[in-house]
Amino acid sequence: MSTLVFSHPSNDYLDTDSSEDVRAVHFVGSLPAALTGDHRATMQWFLDHTPDTSLTGLPCDPDPRWIIDWLDGLAAVDALEPNRTGASADYDDMPTYRLKDRRWLESEDLSLGRAAHTDAVMAARAQLHDDLDLPPHQVSIPNPYDLALFTFGSPSAAVTHLPVFRQAVLDDVHTIHRQHGSQVVFQLETPAVLATLDRTPRPLWPAAVRALAKQVARIFADGPREATWRIHLCHGDLGHQPLFPLTHLVPAVQFLNSLHKQLQRLRISMPPAHIPMCTGTQAPSTDLRFYRALRHLRRDIDVIAGLVDETHPKESRSALGLVETELDRPVLAVAAACGHGRRLVPDAVANAALACELAHHTTDTPAR
């Protein structure tokens, strides 16, 4: 499968089927709070810190903590009442809600406001330089299942209320695509997929993987068919701490293979997949066995390797070689395991610099 990534400042397309190995840099989206607020300056930061490097997209996320502002804002939704209060300092301090008696949610109650935000970003983007010189704007789209799970705090309640969350997300996606077309790419973001498998007994994985893949596939199927997507798997990064430990890559591989199968049935292209290979507290592994599961990943799934850890540059370099050895092909792009929103500004700068180095890094690894 041929996937295009984008260069700046010229409008060159790099084809991963070419004879020359090419890696891009992928930014999950968020930046430290000190670097956000001004959309033009936020996007310029990404451009300034990736000289002579291809980008998969140009993000401008509204919340350095992913969905925390949205989650706090649900307190104003008339149909909901607090089930647990919290300041979201960590995963044990997050608010959850319940539905009031004889009330129901409307999709407007749950809107992320991505359509209005994207309009504002695109207006600011025009101030950078000609749009033809820029990668497409990357729009962060949290998985509806994640939104429902964080809202209600339980998988059963999340599944019960999932349709209204799905509608809220799809309303934004369709509006954005209608307004901006190919100028945007959508990134579906979901720590809930891997978190659910982490909490599921191994014998039940096949059923859980199929259910999770069907849920995600339906988002792509119900969105605009011409839209460009990618998927960001995640271990969470609130307070720069993972929601659950990273022990191996088997869950990510099994989920992505199942999603690929679901999308094939629907005649929908499999989007590139960001796979987290480290966390805010765990360096990329330098043990080849950790990456062995990648041998079983479908060859036509483009991989964005989430292994750029500025506190462990040597391990990041080694990990890239091991990943490409097990995949038996170059990765589409390199990235951090999550966004930069929970980093200090100097750390975000260091991560971007390491990502650029790895994008141009020549790996020297043994053949499989």
Side-chain angles (χ1 to χ4, degrees):
M1 178 172 63
S2 176
T3 299
L4 300 177
V5 293
F6 304 82
S7 293
H8 62 79
S10 63
N11 187 33
D12 297 327
Y13 295 96
L14 299 179
D15 191 327
T16 57
D17 283 347
S18 68
S19 58
E20 181 182 356
D21 290 350
V22 174
R23 303 185 201 95
V25 168
H26 175 79
F27 288 106
V28 173
S30 62
L31 285 178
L35 298 175
T36 62
D38 182 292
H39 299 330
R40 181 181 180 279
T42 297
M43 288 183 284
Q44 190 65 53
W45 188 96
F46 289 113
L47 296 173
D48 289 346
H49 289 84
T50 52
D52 304 316
T53 306
S54 301
L55 294 177
T56 60
L58 186 58
C60 189
D61 282 9
D63 185 354
R65 298 182 299 167
W66 190 41
I67 60 168
I68 297 302
D69 287 348
W70 172 86
L71 192 63
D72 289 343
L74 294 181
V77 174
D78 191 50
L80 295 174
E81 61 187 9
N83 187 48
R84 184 182 71 185
T85 59
S88 299
D90 55 46
Y91 295 111
D92 296 323
D93 186 39
M94 297 180 68
T96 59
Y97 301 88
R98 58 176 172 259
L99 202 61
K100 293 178 182 176
D101 288 342
R102 292 185 290 278
R103 302 300 297 272
W104 60 87
L105 288 167
E106 302 286 354
S107 59
E108 293 83 1
D109 297 328
L110 304 170
S111 175
L112 290 155
R114 288 293 192 266
H117 175 75
T118 301
D119 287 345
V121 169
M122 296 302 284
R125 173 188 169 102
Q127 301 170 22
L128 293 169
H129 48 79
D130 194 300
D131 268 358
L132 292 177
D133 295 333
L134 296 173
H137 171 48
Q138 178 177 296
V139 181
S140 165
I141 301 292
N143 185 9
Y145 177 61
D146 291 64
L147 296 177
L149 187 60
F150 278 102
T151 297
F152 293 106
S154 86
S156 59
V159 170
T160 298
H161 297 285
L162 184 57
V164 69
F165 286 85
R166 183 191 303 116
Q167 191 59 53
V169 165
L170 287 171
D171 286 347
D172 263 349
V173 169
H174 279 282
T175 300
I176 292 167
H177 182 74
R178 193 163 52 246
Q179 291 292 112
H180 303 289
S182 62
Q183 295 181 82
V184 304
V185 295
F186 297 102
Q187 177 173 259
L188 189 74
E189 302 165 342
T190 177
V193 164
L194 297 182
T196 297
L197 293 176
D198 181 71
R199 290 163 170 77
T200 300
R202 193 67 175 263
L204 301 180
W205 271 19
V209 165
R210 282 194 301 271
L212 291 164
K214 286 183 70 173
Q215 184 269 313
V216 170
R218 184 170 173 185
I219 299 301
F220 298 141
D222 291 346
R225 287 300 178 105
E226 305 81 12
T228 300
W229 288 89
R230 58 185 54 110
I231 184 167
H232 162 57
L233 300 180
C234 190
H235 284 255
D237 200 42
L238 185 60
H240 213 28
Q241 299 285 324
L243 178 60
F244 54 100
L246 169 59
T247 55
H248 49 78
L249 299 179
V250 173
V253 168
Q254 290 194 2
F255 167 76
L256 291 171
N257 283 344
S258 183
L259 177 61
H260 183 284
K261 186 176 181 180
Q262 295 283 345
L263 293 176
Q264 265 193 329
R265 290 174 178 168
L266 296 167
R267 301 179 183 271
I268 297 173
S269 297
M270 177 73 188
H274 173 277
I275 303 176
M277 300 177 183
C278 58
T279 68
T281 57
Q282 180 180 347
S285 175
T286 55
D287 184 347
L288 182 63
R289 292 170 297 180
F290 178 81
Y291 303 100
R292 191 68 36 92
L294 295 173
R295 292 186 175 191
H296 303 285
L297 188 71
R298 288 289 305 257
R299 286 194 64 83
D300 51 351
I301 298 177
D302 286 319
V303 173
I304 299 170
L307 48 69
V308 181
D309 182 347
E310 71 279 4
T311 62
H312 297 93
K314 182 179 179 180
E315 290 87 345
S316 299
R317 295 184 196 101
S318 297
L320 177 60
L322 297 175
V323 166
E324 293 187 335
T325 293
E326 293 306 299
L327 285 172
D328 196 27
R329 63 186 187 274
V331 298
L332 172 70
V334 293
C338 198
H340 292 353
R342 277 69 63 189
R343 284 173 165 84
L344 299 174
V345 172
D347 298 327
V349 171
N351 188 280
L354 180 58
C356 290
E357 176 195 325
L358 293 179
H360 297 285
H361 184 61
T362 301
T363 58
D364 182 17
T365 54
R368 270 171 40 179

